[in-house]
Amino acid sequence: MDTTTKTPKACIGDMFPSVFPGMPMFAYVPNPYDCGRPAKVYPGDNTYYCVKGAPLCAVDAEDAALLAIRRTVCRTMNQCYGTATPAQAAAVEAGIKYGWSDRRANPALYDADGAFCG
């Protein structure tokens, strides 16, 4: 058996070296591939994990009002479960969209409301 191809697989919640300091263990963000339903995202991982029991809205994903509601649901989930601040959640969302080494994935560059400042 060839053992050279056996590499340790990353576990959910592992912190990867390319992740900026100050990242949470995970955050809830809108999943663009599932009608914007809240998804759990782990820093350094490029997968949106479905959340059971999250509200499903079968409406066009381009609806601005619905997107605002989805973001509010994700922000409330982050606050209720104490998983991530708005700045950390915004950095996690940017990291999964643009890559974890992109400067937008740095939570230090966001204000307290999660707006990019830098």
Side-chain angles (χ1 to χ4, degrees):
M1 177 197 274
D2 181 21
T3 59
T4 59
T5 58
K6 290 191 174 194
T7 57
K9 192 172 185 181
C11 296
I12 293 176
D14 280 352
M15 298 303 284
F16 292 74
S18 64
V19 175
F20 288 97
M23 285 294 221
M25 286 299 291
F26 64 88
Y28 295 103
V29 300
N31 184 347
Y33 304 108
D34 190 16
C35 298
R37 292 175 66 186
K40 195 183 262 190
V41 175
Y42 298 92
D45 194 357
N46 292 325
T47 304
Y48 291 94
Y49 294 94
C50 295
V51 178
K52 286 188 176 186
L56 174 62
C57 303
V59 182
D60 185 14
E62 298 300 320
D63 186 359
L66 185 60
L67 182 60
I69 292 170
R70 292 173 182 151
R71 290 198 177 281
T72 303
V73 168
C74 290
R75 180 174 281 200
T76 303
M77 290 174 73
N78 283 325
Q79 289 173 346
C80 289
Y81 298 129
T83 58
T85 65
Q88 290 172 325
V92 168
E93 188 173 2
I96 198 165
K97 283 183 182 177
Y98 307 112
W100 295 102
S101 59
D102 189 275
R103 60 190 229 99
R104 291 173 281 196
N106 186 349
L109 298 180
Y110 290 85
D111 65 7
D113 294 325
F116 186 67
C117 297

